[in-house]
Amino acid sequence: MASTRWKNAERVFLYVSMWEEPDTRILIETALREGKRVYVPLCCPDRVMKAIRIQSTDELRPGMLNIPEPPAENEAAAPGELDLAVVPCVTTTTAGARLGYGGGYYDRFLRLHRCPAMCLCYGRILADELPTDENDVRMDVVVTENGAI
């Protein structure tokens, strides 16, 4: 939240954390309090993910894989409208190569929306290198509990 990218972002896309992921609830709540327009993922058929605006975390309901999702009828961000995307990972490298959960949702989403991408990753699970291909989108910033890379 101290980064210039965060401070300057008016429209932020944030994943809703699950399992062992870094908790994003404080980021979502802070962004809402700061008056940012907050968008969270809605997974749709054909492995498409939309950025749907929320005004409160109270709007979130269990969706695909029991991951909290916003109402589908809420406003969706169009490509080019987002200022920053905060995305999850299984692991990432310090150079920004990211391993997701295998569905390709975030890679397709980021190629379409073309906004700066920030990945949250615990330092203990950073990888030295990861296999990548032409479909993988590299992260602009990797954030661990020890700081930004």
Side-chain angles (χ1 to χ4, degrees), residues 27-56:
L27 292 174
I28 294 168
E29 295 290 345
T30 299
L32 289 166
R33 263 194 324 278
E34 290 177 351
K36 296 180 186 297
R37 294 176 69 157
V38 176
Y39 297 83
V40 297
L42 175 66
C43 292
C44 303
D46 299 324
R47 294 188 175 199
V48 170
M49 187 169 65
K50 293 182 180 179
I52 304 294
R53 187 173 181 195
I54 60 168
Q55 309 267 342
S56 166

PDB file of all heavy atoms in Angstrom, residues 27-56:
ATOM      1  N   LEU A  27      -6.364  -5.286   1.969  1.00  0.00           N
ATOM      2  CA  LEU A  27      -6.161  -4.473   0.764  1.00  0.00           C
ATOM      3  C   LEU A  27      -7.497  -4.028   0.184  1.00  0.00           C
ATOM      4  O   LEU A  27      -7.663  -2.869  -0.204  1.00  0.00           O
ATOM      5  CB  LEU A  27      -5.376  -5.255  -0.296  1.00  0.00           C
ATOM      6  CG  LEU A  27      -3.933  -5.586   0.000  1.00  0.00           C
ATOM      7  CD1 LEU A  27      -3.362  -6.490  -1.080  1.00  0.00           C
ATOM      8  CD2 LEU A  27      -3.112  -4.317   0.135  1.00  0.00           C
ATOM      9  N   ILE A  28      -8.439  -4.946   0.120  1.00  0.00           N
ATOM     10  CA  ILE A  28      -9.761  -4.622  -0.416  1.00  0.00           C
ATOM     11  C   ILE A  28     -10.434  -3.559   0.452  1.00  0.00           C
ATOM     12  O   ILE A  28     -10.935  -2.554  -0.053  1.00  0.00           O
ATOM     13  CB  ILE A  28     -10.631  -5.888  -0.532  1.00  0.00           C
ATOM     14  CG1 ILE A  28     -10.042  -6.837  -1.590  1.00  0.00           C
ATOM     15  CG2 ILE A  28     -12.077  -5.530  -0.871  1.00  0.00           C
ATOM     16  CD1 ILE A  28     -10.651  -8.233  -1.596  1.00  0.00           C
ATOM     17  N   GLU A  29     -10.430  -3.780   1.756  1.00  0.00           N
ATOM     18  CA  GLU A  29     -11.064  -2.823   2.686  1.00  0.00           C
ATOM     19  C   GLU A  29     -10.378  -1.458   2.633  1.00  0.00           C
ATOM     20  O   GLU A  29     -11.044  -0.420   2.640  1.00  0.00           O
ATOM     21  CB  GLU A  29     -11.051  -3.372   4.120  1.00  0.00           C
ATOM     22  CG  GLU A  29     -11.877  -4.624   4.310  1.00  0.00           C
ATOM     23  CD  GLU A  29     -13.377  -4.383   4.207  1.00  0.00           C
ATOM     24  OE1 GLU A  29     -13.829  -3.229   4.267  1.00  0.00           O
ATOM     25  OE2 GLU A  29     -14.112  -5.377   4.056  1.00  0.00           O
ATOM     26  N   THR A  30      -9.049  -1.451   2.570  1.00  0.00           N
ATOM     27  CA  THR A  30      -8.304  -0.191   2.502  1.00  0.00           C
ATOM     28  C   THR A  30      -8.623   0.548   1.211  1.00  0.00           C
ATOM     29  O   THR A  30      -8.859   1.757   1.210  1.00  0.00           O
ATOM     30  CB  THR A  30      -6.789  -0.445   2.621  1.00  0.00           C
ATOM     31  OG1 THR A  30      -6.531  -1.058   3.888  1.00  0.00           O
ATOM     32  CG2 THR A  30      -5.997   0.849   2.510  1.00  0.00           C
ATOM     33  N   ALA A  31      -8.624  -0.167   0.102  1.00  0.00           N
ATOM     34  CA  ALA A  31      -8.932   0.458  -1.198  1.00  0.00           C
ATOM     35  C   ALA A  31     -10.329   1.075  -1.174  1.00  0.00           C
ATOM     36  O   ALA A  31     -10.524   2.197  -1.661  1.00  0.00           O
ATOM     37  CB  ALA A  31      -8.817  -0.567  -2.317  1.00  0.00           C
ATOM     38  N   LEU A  32     -11.291   0.373  -0.615  1.00  0.00           N
ATOM     39  CA  LEU A  32     -12.654   0.911  -0.522  1.00  0.00           C
ATOM     40  C   LEU A  32     -12.685   2.164   0.346  1.00  0.00           C
ATOM     41  O   LEU A  32     -13.296   3.169  -0.022  1.00  0.00           O
ATOM     42  CB  LEU A  32     -13.613  -0.156   0.020  1.00  0.00           C
ATOM     43  CG  LEU A  32     -13.920  -1.314  -0.933  1.00  0.00           C
ATOM     44  CD1 LEU A  32     -14.597  -2.456  -0.184  1.00  0.00           C
ATOM     45  CD2 LEU A  32     -14.775  -0.838  -2.100  1.00  0.00           C
ATOM     46  N   ARG A  33     -12.001   2.127   1.486  1.00  0.00           N
ATOM     47  CA  ARG A  33     -11.946   3.301   2.384  1.00  0.00           C
ATOM     48  C   ARG A  33     -11.264   4.485   1.714  1.00  0.00           C
ATOM     49  O   ARG A  33     -11.632   5.633   1.953  1.00  0.00           O
ATOM     50  CB  ARG A  33     -11.188   2.955   3.666  1.00  0.00           C
ATOM     51  CG  ARG A  33     -12.054   2.587   4.823  1.00  0.00           C
ATOM     52  CD  ARG A  33     -11.330   2.577   6.163  1.00  0.00           C
ATOM     53  NE  ARG A  33      -9.954   2.129   6.158  1.00  0.00           N
ATOM     54  CZ  ARG A  33      -9.565   0.864   6.182  1.00  0.00           C
ATOM     55  NH1 ARG A  33     -10.428  -0.109   6.194  1.00  0.00           N
ATOM     56  NH2 ARG A  33      -8.289   0.564   6.191  1.00  0.00           N
ATOM     57  N   GLU A  34     -10.257   4.213   0.888  1.00  0.00           N
ATOM     58  CA  GLU A  34      -9.526   5.280   0.190  1.00  0.00           C
ATOM     59  C   GLU A  34     -10.315   5.838  -0.989  1.00  0.00           C
ATOM     60  O   GLU A  34      -9.850   6.759  -1.660  1.00  0.00           O
ATOM     61  CB  GLU A  34      -8.170   4.754  -0.300  1.00  0.00           C
ATOM     62  CG  GLU A  34      -7.185   4.484   0.816  1.00  0.00           C
ATOM     63  CD  GLU A  34      -5.873   3.890   0.314  1.00  0.00           C
ATOM     64  OE1 GLU A  34      -5.766   3.513  -0.883  1.00  0.00           O
ATOM     65  OE2 GLU A  34      -4.939   3.801   1.127  1.00  0.00           O
ATOM     66  N   GLY A  35     -11.467   5.279  -1.270  1.00  0.00           N
ATOM     67  CA  GLY A  35     -12.290   5.765  -2.374  1.00  0.00           C
ATOM     68  C   GLY A  35     -11.903   5.225  -3.736  1.00  0.00           C
ATOM     69  O   GLY A  35     -12.359   5.736  -4.761  1.00  0.00           O
ATOM     70  N   LYS A  36     -11.062   4.195  -3.762  1.00  0.00           N
ATOM     71  CA  LYS A  36     -10.702   3.582  -5.037  1.00  0.00           C
ATOM     72  C   LYS A  36     -11.891   2.771  -5.549  1.00  0.00           C
ATOM     73  O   LYS A  36     -12.715   2.305  -4.769  1.00  0.00           O
ATOM     74  CB  LYS A  36      -9.497   2.659  -4.858  1.00  0.00           C
ATOM     75  CG  LYS A  36      -8.219   3.383  -4.443  1.00  0.00           C
ATOM     76  CD  LYS A  36      -7.081   2.396  -4.301  1.00  0.00           C
ATOM     77  CE  LYS A  36      -5.830   3.054  -3.746  1.00  0.00           C
ATOM     78  NZ  LYS A  36      -5.272   4.093  -4.582  1.00  0.00           N
ATOM     79  N   ARG A  37     -11.964   2.610  -6.848  1.00  0.00           N
ATOM     80  CA  ARG A  37     -12.954   1.709  -7.441  1.00  0.00           C
ATOM     81  C   ARG A  37     -12.335   0.317  -7.394  1.00  0.00           C
ATOM     82  O   ARG A  37     -11.276   0.090  -7.991  1.00  0.00           O
ATOM     83  CB  ARG A  37     -13.272   2.133  -8.861  1.00  0.00           C
ATOM     84  CG  ARG A  37     -13.971   3.497  -8.886  1.00  0.00           C
ATOM     85  CD  ARG A  37     -14.202   3.978 -10.272  1.00  0.00           C
ATOM     86  NE  ARG A  37     -15.228   3.114 -10.892  1.00  0.00           N
ATOM     87  CZ  ARG A  37     -15.984   3.482 -11.909  1.00  0.00           C
ATOM     88  NH1 ARG A  37     -15.834   4.670 -12.452  1.00  0.00           N
ATOM     89  NH2 ARG A  37     -16.876   2.667 -12.410  1.00  0.00           N
ATOM     90  N   VAL A  38     -12.978  -0.579  -6.679  1.00  0.00           N
ATOM     91  CA  VAL A  38     -12.435  -1.913  -6.431  1.00  0.00           C
ATOM     92  C   VAL A  38     -13.178  -2.948  -7.270  1.00  0.00           C
ATOM     93  O   VAL A  38     -14.409  -3.010  -7.254  1.00  0.00           O
ATOM     94  CB  VAL A  38     -12.524  -2.274  -4.936  1.00  0.00           C
ATOM     95  CG1 VAL A  38     -12.056  -3.705  -4.685  1.00  0.00           C
ATOM     96  CG2 VAL A  38     -11.712  -1.288  -4.107  1.00  0.00           C
ATOM     97  N   TYR A  39     -12.404  -3.750  -7.987  1.00  0.00           N
ATOM     98  CA  TYR A  39     -12.932  -4.828  -8.815  1.00  0.00           C
ATOM     99  C   TYR A  39     -12.327  -6.143  -8.341  1.00  0.00           C
ATOM    100  O   TYR A  39     -11.149  -6.192  -7.979  1.00  0.00           O
ATOM    101  CB  TYR A  39     -12.568  -4.604 -10.280  1.00  0.00           C
ATOM    102  CG  TYR A  39     -13.156  -3.350 -10.866  1.00  0.00           C
ATOM    103  CD1 TYR A  39     -12.534  -2.111 -10.683  1.00  0.00           C
ATOM    104  CD2 TYR A  39     -14.348  -3.384 -11.581  1.00  0.00           C
ATOM    105  CE1 TYR A  39     -13.076  -0.952 -11.211  1.00  0.00           C
ATOM    106  CE2 TYR A  39     -14.897  -2.228 -12.116  1.00  0.00           C
ATOM    107  CZ  TYR A  39     -14.253  -1.020 -11.924  1.00  0.00           C
ATOM    108  OH  TYR A  39     -14.804   0.124 -12.441  1.00  0.00           O
ATOM    109  N   VAL A  40     -13.134  -7.186  -8.336  1.00  0.00           N
ATOM    110  CA  VAL A  40     -12.668  -8.512  -7.949  1.00  0.00           C
ATOM    111  C   VAL A  40     -13.073  -9.512  -9.030  1.00  0.00           C
ATOM    112  O   VAL A  40     -13.960  -9.240  -9.841  1.00  0.00           O
ATOM    113  CB  VAL A  40     -13.218  -8.932  -6.561  1.00  0.00           C
ATOM    114  CG1 VAL A  40     -12.700  -8.000  -5.466  1.00  0.00           C
ATOM    115  CG2 VAL A  40     -14.735  -8.988  -6.562  1.00  0.00           C
ATOM    116  N   PRO A  41     -12.433 -10.688  -9.042  1.00  0.00           N
ATOM    117  CA  PRO A  41     -12.692 -11.659 -10.117  1.00  0.00           C
ATOM    118  C   PRO A  41     -14.057 -12.332 -10.034  1.00  0.00           C
ATOM    119  O   PRO A  41     -14.539 -12.660  -8.955  1.00  0.00           O
ATOM    120  CB  PRO A  41     -11.604 -12.715  -9.915  1.00  0.00           C
ATOM    121  CG  PRO A  41     -10.648 -12.165  -8.943  1.00  0.00           C
ATOM    122  CD  PRO A  41     -11.338 -11.102  -8.179  1.00  0.00           C
ATOM    123  N   LEU A  42     -14.622 -12.537 -11.204  1.00  0.00           N
ATOM    124  CA  LEU A  42     -15.786 -13.395 -11.385  1.00  0.00           C
ATOM    125  C   LEU A  42     -15.412 -14.371 -12.494  1.00  0.00           C
ATOM    126  O   LEU A  42     -15.142 -13.952 -13.629  1.00  0.00           O
ATOM    127  CB  LEU A  42     -17.027 -12.596 -11.784  1.00  0.00           C
ATOM    128  CG  LEU A  42     -18.266 -13.440 -12.117  1.00  0.00           C
ATOM    129  CD1 LEU A  42     -18.766 -14.176 -10.870  1.00  0.00           C
ATOM    130  CD2 LEU A  42     -19.369 -12.572 -12.703  1.00  0.00           C
ATOM    131  N   CYS A  43     -15.330 -15.655 -12.151  1.00  0.00           N
ATOM    132  CA  CYS A  43     -14.983 -16.668 -13.150  1.00  0.00           C
ATOM    133  C   CYS A  43     -16.236 -17.072 -13.903  1.00  0.00           C
ATOM    134  O   CYS A  43     -17.276 -17.348 -13.309  1.00  0.00           O
ATOM    135  CB  CYS A  43     -14.339 -17.868 -12.468  1.00  0.00           C
ATOM    136  SG  CYS A  43     -12.726 -17.465 -11.790  1.00  0.00           S
ATOM    137  N   CYS A  44     -16.120 -17.080 -15.212  1.00  0.00           N
ATOM    138  CA  CYS A  44     -17.244 -17.360 -16.105  1.00  0.00           C
ATOM    139  C   CYS A  44     -16.927 -18.602 -16.926  1.00  0.00           C
ATOM    140  O   CYS A  44     -15.804 -19.094 -16.930  1.00  0.00           O
ATOM    141  CB  CYS A  44     -17.466 -16.162 -17.030  1.00  0.00           C
ATOM    142  SG  CYS A  44     -17.750 -14.625 -16.136  1.00  0.00           S
ATOM    143  N   PRO A  45     -17.939 -19.095 -17.680  1.00  0.00           N
ATOM    144  CA  PRO A  45     -17.674 -20.250 -18.555  1.00  0.00           C
ATOM    145  C   PRO A  45     -16.548 -19.948 -19.554  1.00  0.00           C
ATOM    146  O   PRO A  45     -16.203 -18.803 -19.794  1.00  0.00           O
ATOM    147  CB  PRO A  45     -19.010 -20.440 -19.281  1.00  0.00           C
ATOM    148  CG  PRO A  45     -20.032 -19.833 -18.372  1.00  0.00           C
ATOM    149  CD  PRO A  45     -19.326 -18.670 -17.704  1.00  0.00           C
ATOM    150  N   ASP A  46     -16.013 -20.979 -20.109  1.00  0.00           N
ATOM    151  CA  ASP A  46     -14.947 -20.898 -21.109  1.00  0.00           C
ATOM    152  C   ASP A  46     -13.668 -20.278 -20.559  1.00  0.00           C
ATOM    153  O   ASP A  46     -12.913 -19.626 -21.288  1.00  0.00           O
ATOM    154  CB  ASP A  46     -15.410 -20.133 -22.359  1.00  0.00           C
ATOM    155  CG  ASP A  46     -16.590 -20.817 -23.043  1.00  0.00           C
ATOM    156  OD1 ASP A  46     -16.622 -22.061 -23.037  1.00  0.00           O
ATOM    157  OD2 ASP A  46     -17.460 -20.104 -23.565  1.00  0.00           O
ATOM    158  N   ARG A  47     -13.447 -20.434 -19.259  1.00  0.00           N
ATOM    159  CA  ARG A  47     -12.220 -19.948 -18.601  1.00  0.00           C
ATOM    160  C   ARG A  47     -11.989 -18.455 -18.803  1.00  0.00           C
ATOM    161  O   ARG A  47     -10.866 -18.003 -19.011  1.00  0.00           O
ATOM    162  CB  ARG A  47     -11.018 -20.751 -19.046  1.00  0.00           C
ATOM    163  CG  ARG A  47     -11.087 -22.178 -18.579  1.00  0.00           C
ATOM    164  CD  ARG A  47      -9.808 -22.906 -18.852  1.00  0.00           C
ATOM    165  NE  ARG A  47      -9.895 -24.231 -18.273  1.00  0.00           N
ATOM    166  CZ  ARG A  47      -8.852 -24.981 -18.011  1.00  0.00           C
ATOM    167  NH1 ARG A  47      -7.655 -24.552 -18.282  1.00  0.00           N
ATOM    168  NH2 ARG A  47      -9.014 -26.167 -17.483  1.00  0.00           N
ATOM    169  N   VAL A  48     -13.056 -17.705 -18.757  1.00  0.00           N
ATOM    170  CA  VAL A  48     -12.987 -16.248 -18.855  1.00  0.00           C
ATOM    171  C   VAL A  48     -13.187 -15.684 -17.459  1.00  0.00           C
ATOM    172  O   VAL A  48     -14.003 -16.168 -16.685  1.00  0.00           O
ATOM    173  CB  VAL A  48     -14.084 -15.715 -19.810  1.00  0.00           C
ATOM    174  CG1 VAL A  48     -14.181 -14.204 -19.742  1.00  0.00           C
ATOM    175  CG2 VAL A  48     -13.797 -16.180 -21.224  1.00  0.00           C
ATOM    176  N   MET A  49     -12.431 -14.665 -17.136  1.00  0.00           N
ATOM    177  CA  MET A  49     -12.567 -13.999 -15.856  1.00  0.00           C
ATOM    178  C   MET A  49     -12.896 -12.537 -16.109  1.00  0.00           C
ATOM    179  O   MET A  49     -12.280 -11.898 -16.958  1.00  0.00           O
ATOM    180  CB  MET A  49     -11.273 -14.119 -15.056  1.00  0.00           C
ATOM    181  CG  MET A  49     -11.367 -13.609 -13.638  1.00  0.00           C
ATOM    182  SD  MET A  49      -9.929 -14.074 -12.657  1.00  0.00           S
ATOM    183  CE  MET A  49      -8.629 -13.166 -13.488  1.00  0.00           C
ATOM    184  N   LYS A  50     -13.881 -12.023 -15.376  1.00  0.00           N
ATOM    185  CA  LYS A  50     -14.259 -10.618 -15.478  1.00  0.00           C
ATOM    186  C   LYS A  50     -13.883  -9.910 -14.193  1.00  0.00           C
ATOM    187  O   LYS A  50     -13.856 -10.511 -13.120  1.00  0.00           O
ATOM    188  CB  LYS A  50     -15.764 -10.484 -15.697  1.00  0.00           C
ATOM    189  CG  LYS A  50     -16.244 -11.009 -17.023  1.00  0.00           C
ATOM    190  CD  LYS A  50     -17.741 -10.798 -17.163  1.00  0.00           C
ATOM    191  CE  LYS A  50     -18.248 -11.325 -18.489  1.00  0.00           C
ATOM    192  NZ  LYS A  50     -19.701 -11.134 -18.605  1.00  0.00           N
ATOM    193  N   ALA A  51     -13.609  -8.612 -14.313  1.00  0.00           N
ATOM    194  CA  ALA A  51     -13.359  -7.749 -13.157  1.00  0.00           C
ATOM    195  C   ALA A  51     -14.677  -7.064 -12.825  1.00  0.00           C
ATOM    196  O   ALA A  51     -15.160  -6.241 -13.603  1.00  0.00           O
ATOM    197  CB  ALA A  51     -12.284  -6.723 -13.482  1.00  0.00           C
ATOM    198  N   ILE A  52     -15.253  -7.404 -11.683  1.00  0.00           N
ATOM    199  CA  ILE A  52     -16.557  -6.891 -11.282  1.00  0.00           C
ATOM    200  C   ILE A  52     -16.394  -5.974 -10.078  1.00  0.00           C
ATOM    201  O   ILE A  52     -15.745  -6.326  -9.096  1.00  0.00           O
ATOM    202  CB  ILE A  52     -17.525  -8.044 -10.945  1.00  0.00           C
ATOM    203  CG1 ILE A  52     -17.656  -9.028 -12.109  1.00  0.00           C
ATOM    204  CG2 ILE A  52     -18.878  -7.504 -10.502  1.00  0.00           C
ATOM    205  CD1 ILE A  52     -18.316  -8.474 -13.346  1.00  0.00           C
ATOM    206  N   ARG A  53     -17.007  -4.800 -10.172  1.00  0.00           N
ATOM    207  CA  ARG A  53     -16.869  -3.798  -9.110  1.00  0.00           C
ATOM    208  C   ARG A  53     -17.692  -4.169  -7.876  1.00  0.00           C
ATOM    209  O   ARG A  53     -18.817  -4.651  -7.993  1.00  0.00           O
ATOM    210  CB  ARG A  53     -17.309  -2.432  -9.621  1.00  0.00           C
ATOM    211  CG  ARG A  53     -17.019  -1.336  -8.615  1.00  0.00           C
ATOM    212  CD  ARG A  53     -17.296   0.022  -9.167  1.00  0.00           C
ATOM    213  NE  ARG A  53     -16.980   1.012  -8.148  1.00  0.00           N
ATOM    214  CZ  ARG A  53     -17.368   2.257  -8.206  1.00  0.00           C
ATOM    215  NH1 ARG A  53     -18.077   2.684  -9.231  1.00  0.00           N
ATOM    216  NH2 ARG A  53     -17.037   3.092  -7.251  1.00  0.00           N
ATOM    217  N   ILE A  54     -17.083  -3.931  -6.718  1.00  0.00           N
ATOM    218  CA  ILE A  54     -17.809  -4.078  -5.455  1.00  0.00           C
ATOM    219  C   ILE A  54     -17.698  -2.789  -4.663  1.00  0.00           C
ATOM    220  O   ILE A  54     -16.747  -2.026  -4.830  1.00  0.00           O
ATOM    221  CB  ILE A  54     -17.299  -5.261  -4.602  1.00  0.00           C
ATOM    222  CG1 ILE A  54     -15.818  -5.093  -4.229  1.00  0.00           C
ATOM    223  CG2 ILE A  54     -17.557  -6.587  -5.312  1.00  0.00           C
ATOM    224  CD1 ILE A  54     -15.337  -6.057  -3.170  1.00  0.00           C
ATOM    225  N   GLN A  55     -18.673  -2.557  -3.822  1.00  0.00           N
ATOM    226  CA  GLN A  55     -18.665  -1.406  -2.915  1.00  0.00           C
ATOM    227  C   GLN A  55     -18.381  -1.860  -1.488  1.00  0.00           C
ATOM    228  O   GLN A  55     -18.095  -1.043  -0.621  1.00  0.00           O
ATOM    229  CB  GLN A  55     -20.018  -0.700  -2.958  1.00  0.00           C
ATOM    230  CG  GLN A  55     -20.507  -0.369  -4.345  1.00  0.00           C
ATOM    231  CD  GLN A  55     -20.122   1.005  -4.796  1.00  0.00           C
ATOM    232  OE1 GLN A  55     -19.763   1.862  -4.014  1.00  0.00           O
ATOM    233  NE2 GLN A  55     -20.186   1.222  -6.096  1.00  0.00           N
ATOM    234  N   SER A  56     -18.493  -3.176  -1.244  1.00  0.00           N
ATOM    235  CA  SER A  56     -18.307  -3.741   0.085  1.00  0.00           C
ATOM    236  C   SER A  56     -17.992  -5.225  -0.042  1.00  0.00           C
ATOM    237  O   SER A  56     -18.479  -5.890  -0.973  1.00  0.00           O
ATOM    238  CB  SER A  56     -19.588  -3.559   0.909  1.00  0.00           C
ATOM    239  OG  SER A  56     -19.563  -4.352   2.075  1.00  0.00           O
TER     240      SER A  56
END
